[in-house]
Amino acid sequence: MLLYPKSTPLRYYTLMLENLPAIHIHQLTKTYPGGLQALKGIDLTVREGQFFALLGPNGAGKSTTISILCSLVNKTGGTVSICGHNIDTDWSKAKTCLGVVPQEFNFNIFEPCWQIVVNQAGYYGVPRDVALKRLDVLFDQLGLSDKRNEQAKNLSGGFKRRLMIARALIHEPRVLILDEPTAGVDISLRRSMWQFLQELNNGGMTIILTTHYLEEAEALCKEVAIIDHGKIVTHGNTQDLLQQLNAESFILYCTAPIDTLSALPPISGVALRQLDPLCLEADIDQNHTLTELITYLQIHGITVGRIRNKANRLEELFLKLVNHD
Ligand code: ADP
């Protein structure tokens, strides 16, 4: 069941008609006390309805950016608007457009789950009876229904994460921001969260996440920006950016041990490494083909028996074998 119908709800059309971005960040800077310059002038626009990933290594400035969007951290300079509302001058309206799932669990662990979510609704002026109805739908979708009266401290990490998502959605924000939503989450829960987020986005909600997991961004996000040392280093359509990756990696299993690799002449567009006597790893750039590589190896007396793409297939196997209940 979907929280939001697949057809775009009316409230999402407002921004689209006005052509306002969900998030607009201009020349954002942050210098922490002590002098560390975490953000060095970031420009970023996320269109309404986008599924957007902010990627980057540890310490790049992702959480700082998200925390500024949520007004948890004060910026040093620049402007930020959420659904057209400037966070400096119009924070209360900006806030209502935003649902946030921070990295750390930040609810009162002694409260029952339902209360954590309904209290949050109260902060946004959602009437209690409305909040209770929404709660039932959200808990049902997130598999939390039988945890309704449980104290949050008794939930596993995965269920705590779902509770945070329910809490972030209770006031029906237009934009949902998730900071490392699947960090430390097991693979089957990660996949069910992906599906849930995808359904929200299909219903028109703008979703922004930060993640370390590139496969997560690749699977979900139509657009990505990469931040490094407080600067956006690239921003664009995910598939277009992936096209720029000029190599794809394969593992080749040969039919007989190879002891001549270092003696072979170089092959254009391919980086070859030996992993063990029977096994090679090859990075093939976009202008060359796997067939060229296999032919080249064959000419030099190496027969390839099996090939696999280096993408993580262990995850697929895990999902197939584990019980998802
Ligand atoms: P990311 O989320 O990409 O890992 P952060 O935004 O957390 O990066 O951190 C960016 C930089 O700012 C890092 O060098 C980090 O050590 C520093 N930083 C983050 N929070 C604080 C803080 N409260 N005080 C001082 N420095 C901080």
Side-chain angles (χ1 to χ4, degrees), residues 19-283:
N19 205 17
L20 282 171
I23 302 288
H24 184 66
I25 294 175
H26 179 63
Q27 282 301 300
L28 182 63
T29 58
K30 173 65 187 175
T31 305
Y32 281 108
L36 189 127
Q37 228 189 327
L39 301 179
K40 298 172 183 162
I42 283 184
D43 291 316
L44 201 60
T45 300
V46 180
R47 281 176 293 116
E48 175 78 347
Q50 197 49 262
F51 204 138
F52 183 91
L54 185 60
L55 308 173
N58 274 336
K62 303 181 296 294
S63 296
T64 302
T65 308
I66 298 298
S67 301
I68 292 171
L69 280 170
C70 312
S71 273
L72 295 172
V73 164
N74 291 325
K75 60 190 167 58
T76 308
T79 55
V80 176
S81 300
I82 300 167
C83 301
H85 306 293
N86 184 312
I87 63 165
D88 293 325
T89 54
D90 206 2
W91 171 239
S92 63
K93 280 195 183 141
K95 182 181 86 163
T96 59
C97 297
L98 204 61
V100 182
V101 182
Q103 238 178 85
E104 307 294 335
F105 301 126
N106 62 352
F107 42 69
N108 179 349
I109 55 167
F110 298 105
E111 277 181 350
C113 295
W114 72 269
Q115 198 166 29
I116 289 170
V117 177
V118 171
N119 285 352
Q120 177 84 354
Y123 300 138
Y124 287 89
V126 179
R128 192 179 167 85
D129 57 330
V130 175
L132 285 167
K133 278 186 198 140
R134 288 185 193 167
L135 177 99
D136 285 343
V137 177
L138 279 167
F139 273 23
D140 181 38
Q141 292 180 312
L142 287 159
L144 280 165
S145 297
D146 60 349
K147 314 279 182 208
R148 202 175 190 283
N149 299 319
E150 195 81 52
Q151 276 185 314
K153 72 178 169 66
N154 297 331
L155 302 188
S156 67
F159 279 108
K160 284 187 179 124
R161 184 77 55 192
R162 296 183 210 195
L163 180 60
M164 301 265 283
I165 295 177
R167 189 185 60 170
L169 291 173
I170 195 70
H171 64 289
E172 297 193 332
R174 287 171 167 185
V175 182
L176 179 66
I177 296 186
L178 305 107
D179 196 0
E180 297 280 357
T182 56
V185 163
D186 73 44
I187 290 166
S188 55
L189 175 58
R190 190 186 310 164
R191 287 291 170 108
S192 70
M193 273 173 60
W194 286 7
Q195 191 183 345
F196 181 72
L197 295 175
Q198 193 75 70
E199 285 169 358
L200 288 178
N201 180 247
N202 289 344
M205 187 179 286
T206 307
I207 299 188
I208 299 172
L209 53 86
T210 73
T211 183
H212 275 74
Y213 301 111
L214 293 181
E215 82 274 17
E216 180 160 283
E218 192 178 339
L220 291 175
C221 301
K222 292 175 210 114
E223 211 166 299
V224 298
I226 299 177
I227 181 170
D228 194 21
H229 292 102
K231 286 185 176 167
I232 301 287
V233 291
T234 190
H235 174 198
N237 177 281
T238 312
Q239 289 312 316
D240 292 347
L241 292 176
L242 287 174
Q243 289 290 322
Q244 290 173 18
L245 291 176
N246 44 18
E248 193 169 2
S249 300
F250 296 90
I251 306 292
L252 314 174
Y253 300 92
C254 304
T255 54
I258 309 148
D259 51 15
T260 54
L261 194 69
S262 56
L264 298 186
I267 166 170
S268 159
V270 181
L272 259 183
R273 292 174 293 280
Q274 186 149 11
L275 299 181
D276 65 43
L278 283 169
C279 195
L280 300 175
E281 183 174 332
D283 304 329

